[in-house]
Amino acid sequence: MQDHSQTERRKTEHIKICMEEQVTSSVTTGLESYRFLHAALPEINFSQISLQTGFINKMVRTPFLISSMTGGTTYAKEINEKLAEAAEIRGWVMALGSMRAAIEKEELVTTFQIRKKAPTVPVIANLGAVQLNNGYGIDECKRIVDMVEADALVLHLNSMQEVFQAEGDTNFHQLITKIAQVCKASDVPVGVKEVGFGFDSASASKLIEAGVSFIDVAGAGGTSWIEVEKHRNKNKRIWDAAEAFLDWGIPTATSILEVRKVSTDLLLIGSGGIRTGVEAAKAIALGADFVGFGRSLLQAATSSVEEVLQEMERIEFECKSVMFGIGASDLQALKTTERLFKKE
Ligand SMILES: Cc1cc2nc3c(=O)[nH]c(=O)nc-3n(C[C@H](O)[C@H](O)[C@H](O)COP(=O)(O)O)c2cc1C
């Protein structure tokens, strides 16, 4: 097992690199290939458009989620608190970053404890699935859920990040059995997410069979965690290899369609490279129930709650404007619209 100071250092470096370096994948989300067909006569009242929906067992005002990002350091605590406060004000779901640091070092728990700032919105605890092959099990999963009073747990699948990380854990052998055990024994719903390389239908199918309650595709087109780890690694072989993997991954749009091929009713989060409410609306029209925003909120989250709120309001306005433009007054109408088409 790694010592906690290494985990803390890694968390700080991740934030810094994501803010300062070019870490965007060379693949695009695929959402740019789609357009909405404008309806000149929408026949709805803009002021009555509703983004309200349900996440697991709670109603929320928007179908948006702050993707898992951070925790484990003082700086990360400040980021989490700003994101949580904004999530509560706007009615967004709040996902926390990997909580391994809080298991390794009890004092770091407070860097994830944002319930006071976000008392009503759904909060998701997070752990790397590979840790289930590294001495962690259902007890650790339950502990992190309890630590933050989470409504759900998400296990992240980050094989390519681990392989490019100097200290990475790369034994993913038979993880599916352990994921199934966690799903069975957990008191809260358990989901899985990628970190920016997406899902195909075969992987999604296995995970659904294992009992996951939701999948967050975290597809390619946004942050590339091969690029992020490259910047933490001085090794020339890693730098050269990262270049060769610039276009790795399943784009976000494709990932959403792939998961929907194998399940029409699984709670599906579309994420990976999403920056605008127009892209979010496209993800929903393709089959996502929720849309996650990661690095695109990071800059604001290091600044102030007001800046996060501005970003959220912009995204909500853009999504509602799409809905107005196609005459969809609620999310059900957006999900079932026939006004999304693929460009020639
Ligand atoms: C600074 C930062 C830290 C992250 N840490 C985690 C993490 O601890 N656990 C996790 O599952 N994903 C983590 N991610 C990945 C995001 O949740 C997301 O899946 C990925 O960045 C792709 O989305 P994006 O293109 O919107 O950034 C992190 C992302 C960022 C930007």
Side-chain angles (χ1 to χ4, degrees):
M1 226 171 260
Q2 286 172 26
D3 78 85
H4 57 77
S5 55
Q6 190 175 43
T7 307
E8 281 180 69
R9 191 166 55 246
R10 183 169 60 240
K11 295 289 133 191
T12 306
E13 287 171 3
H14 282 163
I15 296 170
K16 196 168 176 308
I17 291 166
C18 280
M19 305 260 294
E20 293 173 4
E21 304 290 346
Q22 162 53 264
V23 292
T24 303
S25 157
S26 76
V27 187
T28 59
T29 62
L31 295 167
E32 70 290 350
S33 304
Y34 292 87
R35 290 192 76 209
F36 284 104
L37 180 67
H38 171 69
L41 190 61
E43 295 203 270
I44 57 170
N45 181 346
F46 183 88
S47 67
Q48 284 173 359
I49 294 173
S50 166
L51 294 177
Q52 183 166 296
T53 185
F55 186 85
I56 299 175
N57 56 359
K58 281 184 175 168
M59 288 309 286
V60 275
R61 271 177 290 139
T62 76
F64 303 133
L65 166 145
I66 297 170
S67 295
S68 301
M69 278 194 278
T70 201
T73 67
T74 313
Y75 188 39
K77 175 182 162 76
E78 286 170 18
I79 293 176
N80 274 341
E81 287 182 348
K82 290 191 186 82
L83 289 170
E85 201 175 324
E88 181 70 24
I89 293 170
R90 298 304 309 174
W92 285 41
V93 178
M94 167 81 193
L96 292 157
S98 171
M99 296 180 62
R100 177 178 168 190
I103 298 178
E104 289 173 354
K105 191 179 175 190
E106 192 85 28
E107 300 96 280
L108 297 178
V109 171
T110 56
T111 66
F112 295 94
Q113 283 172 326
I114 45 80
R115 247 316 168 208
K116 283 206 179 77
K117 301 269 178 195
T120 69
V121 292
V123 169
I124 308 178
N126 181 303
L127 190 68
V130 72
Q131 297 313 321
L132 301 175
N133 269 351
N134 206 11
Y136 286 43
I138 184 64
D139 289 348
E140 285 74 19
C141 291
K142 284 190 174 175
R143 254 171 69 200
I144 61 168
V145 166
D146 291 346
M147 278 172 188
V148 294
E149 301 164 63
D151 298 276
L153 168 69
V154 72
L155 298 171
H156 65 262
L157 292 162
N158 63 338
S159 56
M160 299 308 276
Q161 176 185 8
E162 298 284 352
V163 84
F164 277 78
Q165 191 177 100
E167 71 278 24
D169 295 309
T170 49
N171 176 16
F172 277 63
H173 187 60
Q174 288 186 346
L175 262 189
I176 193 75
T177 317
K178 302 203 174 143
I179 292 173
Q181 285 163 358
V182 171
C183 291
K184 199 157 172 227
S186 172
D187 302 324
V188 295
V190 179
V192 283
K193 73 184 282 288
E194 239 291 344
V195 297
F197 299 110
F199 280 84
D200 70 321
S201 53
S203 309
S205 209
K206 274 193 208 164
L207 288 156
I208 293 167
E209 215 167 288
V212 300
S213 300
F214 60 95
I215 293 181
D216 178 343
V217 299
T223 312
S224 162
W225 282 85
I226 292 177
E227 283 300 296
V228 177
E229 292 301 342
K230 177 187 92 175
H231 285 285
R232 297 186 53 239
N233 205 321
K234 303 279 170 277
N235 185 314
K236 181 172 181 320
R237 178 172 53 86
I238 291 291
W239 277 70
D240 291 345
E243 184 75 28
F245 279 82
L246 257 183
D247 70 349
W248 189 261
I250 305 170
T252 298
T254 313
S255 294
I256 293 170
L257 296 173
E258 284 286 300
V259 179
R260 273 290 170 250
K261 255 192 226 166
V262 290
S263 173
T264 51
D265 58 359
L266 180 82
L267 174 55
L268 173 55
I269 302 165
S271 75
I274 299 190
R275 306 185 151 264
T276 73
V278 179
E279 291 164 342
K282 289 178 184 176
I284 292 169
L286 283 177
D289 298 302
F290 274 77
V291 179
F293 294 77
R295 191 164 48 102
S296 58
L297 290 178
L298 187 61
Q299 190 77 47
T302 60
S303 182
S304 64
V305 176
E306 288 65 36
E307 283 196 29
V308 180
L309 288 172
Q310 271 172 27
E311 284 295 285
M312 289 175 158
E313 282 171 36
R314 171 186 60 79
I315 290 162
E316 289 170 29
F317 172 73
E318 289 165 350
C319 186
K320 279 188 176 175
S321 299
V322 166
M323 292 165 76
F324 192 52
I326 61 169
S329 58
D330 58 24
L331 289 173
Q332 189 52 30
L334 176 58
K335 276 184 192 169
T336 53
T337 185
E338 288 178 0
R339 288 183 171 273
L340 185 76
F341 63 95
K342 200 160 188 188
K343 290 192 267 186
E344 289 304 312

